[in-house]
Amino acid sequence: MPELPEVEALKDFLTEHLTGHEIVRVLPVAISVLKTYDPPLTALQGREVTAVRRYGKFLALATDGGPHLVTHLARAGWLQWKDRLPDGPPRPGKGPLALRVALETGGGFDLTEAGTQKRLAVYVVRDPGEVPGVARLGPDPLADDFDEARLAVLLAGERRQLKGALRDQSLIAGIGNAYSDEILHAARMSPFKLAGALTAQETTRLYEALRTTLTDAVERSRGLAAGRLKSEKKSGLRVHGRTGEPCPVCGDTIREVSFSDSSLQYCPTCQTGGKPLADRRLSRLLK
């Protein structure tokens, strides 16, 4: 799933390639991705793109005097840029193409989604705040005013585990499964530690890990073409998706805890005092 660093890089890429250009066609291929009907998609046509903004994991294209095109790429969605789009309208079918946006230059982008769980979402709205997912977002962790004191206030009284709290978009915007693993590894904290039980020193450690991890990931992605962002994300991860590999910090074997539709990765030596966490799904299989 694209998270804050990749969406931030997409925002920068699209700012360079879209701003000042006219949208001449918006072609829906998978109607299920369109979550709004007023204004219609056609309201975007003939409009100049004036800005591209990021709201958590949402991307928003602003147009001159017109509506905003807002998208959430979800778990398996992606944006594919093309300097020259194919001639003729795309054919609806079982392929990954969901929506095409064409510019007056002949270029544009496709929104695609792999797999069978179709969660890619597109909204055409007068203001991004009309999108429910945007309206409920918590503060952006890379904003100038997101300091350690603000993190402490957000976590105070939290009864959830750190992993779940970091992924809650209404608490902090933009962090998903991968970067929550990376942040907790950098902070040397168990994903199961209670968020509201952090000491002042631990809060400092978590804040520094959060800002450094996200900032470094954004810098690695900055300037890359849209098509290279996925591979850059994977290559930069130290624990997420690396079950069975050695920890790059201590050399211990990276472990995994599996859930019904996701998993987390961690290093026992760095994060849990050498103690492996219980994997409930694996435990059920062994009974």
Side-chain angles (χ1 to χ4, degrees):
M1 176 184 290
E3 299 179 32
L4 185 156
E6 295 78 49
V7 180
E8 179 72 10
L10 280 174
K11 182 208 75 175
D12 291 345
F13 178 87
L14 292 177
T15 296
E16 179 182 350
H17 288 76
L18 289 180
T19 304
H21 291 290
E22 178 188 337
I23 297 174
V24 294
R25 289 185 308 280
V26 183
L27 304 169
V29 180
I31 301 299
S32 61
V33 305
L34 190 60
K35 307 304 180 185
T36 57
Y37 61 90
D38 181 26
L41 275 176
T42 53
L44 294 161
Q45 296 178 174
R47 305 279 186 181
E48 178 185 314
V49 178
T50 56
V52 183
R53 300 184 178 91
R54 177 184 62 79
Y55 301 89
K57 301 178 193 176
F58 289 83
L59 268 176
L61 277 59
T63 63
D64 184 18
H68 299 252
L69 176 67
V70 182
T71 184
H72 189 288
L73 296 171
R75 175 169 292 185
W78 195 243
L79 184 148
Q80 297 183 353
W81 177 263
K82 291 180 170 60
D83 290 326
R84 185 72 190 181
L85 289 169
D87 294 330
R91 295 182 179 179
K94 296 182 179 180
L97 181 59
L99 186 85
R100 174 167 290 169
V101 175
L103 305 178
E104 91 286 357
T105 61
F109 64 86
D110 289 339
L111 293 179
T112 62
E113 186 172 25
T116 58
Q117 294 185 352
K118 302 301 183 182
R119 298 177 180 174
L120 175 69
V122 175
Y123 309 82
V124 181
V125 290
R126 295 172 182 85
D127 183 275
E130 297 174 15
V131 177
V134 173
R136 71 178 182 89
L137 287 175
D140 192 292
L142 293 187
D144 292 339
D145 61 353
F146 189 90
D147 55 15
E148 183 182 329
R150 190 164 192 188
L151 177 63
V153 170
L154 290 171
L155 297 181
E158 270 288 339
R159 297 182 179 181
R160 290 176 294 179
Q161 297 166 341
L162 274 174
K163 173 74 175 180
L166 288 176
R167 293 185 63 187
D168 182 353
Q169 300 304 293
S170 64
L171 189 72
I172 303 172
I175 302 171
N177 196 30
Y179 287 106
S180 57
D181 282 352
E182 297 298 301
I183 289 166
L184 291 170
H185 178 255
R188 307 187 304 281
M189 292 182 183
S190 168
F192 290 174
K193 186 177 182 65
L194 291 181
L198 299 187
T199 65
Q201 289 182 332
E202 289 173 330
T203 301
T204 298
R205 209 162 75 223
L206 180 63
Y207 175 78
E208 292 175 349
L210 185 154
R211 294 280 286 205
T212 300
T213 299
L214 295 178
T215 300
D216 288 351
V218 169
E219 289 304 315
R220 287 196 307 270
S221 300
R222 197 178 300 279
L224 293 180
R228 294 179 56 195
L229 290 173
K230 284 185 179 181
S231 59
E232 171 53 40
K233 175 181 180 178
K234 186 175 181 179
S235 67
L237 298 176
R238 300 197 297 179
V239 292
H240 183 78
R242 299 193 180 278
T243 304
E245 298 181 20
C247 170
V249 174
C250 71
D252 193 2
T253 301
I254 295 170
R255 306 291 183 95
E256 175 176 303
V257 176
S258 298
F259 304 98
S260 59
D261 61 350
S262 66
S263 63
L264 66 82
Q265 286 79 42
Y266 68 99
C267 169
T269 294
C270 292
Q271 297 175 252
T272 61
K275 181 181 178 180
L277 298 173
D279 187 337
R280 294 178 179 86
R281 190 167 73 171
L282 180 60
S283 298
R284 288 198 299 270
L285 291 174
L286 293 176
K287 286 183 179 179

